[in-house]
Amino acid sequence: MRDRIETPRLTLRRLRGDDAGALSALADDAGVARMLTRMPHPCPPEATAAYIRGCEGEPWVYCVTLAEAPIGAVAVEARLGYWIGRPYWGRGYAFEAASALVDAWFTASDTPLETGVFADNPASRRILARLGFRETGRRLQASLGRPEPDDYITMRLDGDDWRAARRIDRAEQEE
């Protein structure tokens, strides 16, 4: 666990109380909330502030920042989770942030990671597959951002699969 994780374009740092306004503005988007299980929509600043207070002392919860401005969050709280605000979609930031946290996780521990993704979120499924996650099952999953439970894919990553995915990703980058 580190207080900060640097990537070529992003900084992952501890959540702070003053992040609530910026993160709430980005999170108050139905397209973002519907892809997550615990984010309400609408997402008032009070809900974001309460989440940040609840994360105090959690070792694997980070604010994703670009040039010091919050653009999303990434965490391991029983499961890997991440989100990036819509203005920043399509630029590889979600993969970069999730990859950095997964790398830090497996550098510190060999405990497997679990996560999940709604079936109608192909972008996140591609990110998780690129990280080495494998599908372990499907179920209906409730979400605070959806009117009813929906098809959800559960996934898992162990240290060996992570190491194999890192080798493949590095080889593709060198080509």
Side-chain angles (χ1 to χ4, degrees), residues 44-126:
E46 309 82 58
T48 305
Y51 174 76
I52 291 170
R53 282 191 304 276
C55 290
E56 192 171 303
E58 290 293 325
W60 295 98
V61 180
Y62 295 91
C63 180
V64 178
T65 66
L66 175 66
E68 297 301 316
I71 65 167
V74 62
V76 176
E77 301 172 277
R79 301 168 60 81
L80 172 69
Y82 56 88
W83 67 271
I84 299 293
R86 186 184 299 265
Y88 305 97
W89 287 3
R91 299 179 194 170
Y93 296 140
F95 176 78
E96 191 171 328
S99 180
L101 183 57
V102 168
D103 288 354
W105 177 268
F106 282 115
T107 299
S109 167
D110 206 37
T111 304
L113 285 171
E114 309 233 345
T115 194
V117 60
F118 283 101
D120 63 352
N121 189 349
S124 195
R125 287 192 351 229
R126 283 190 299 274

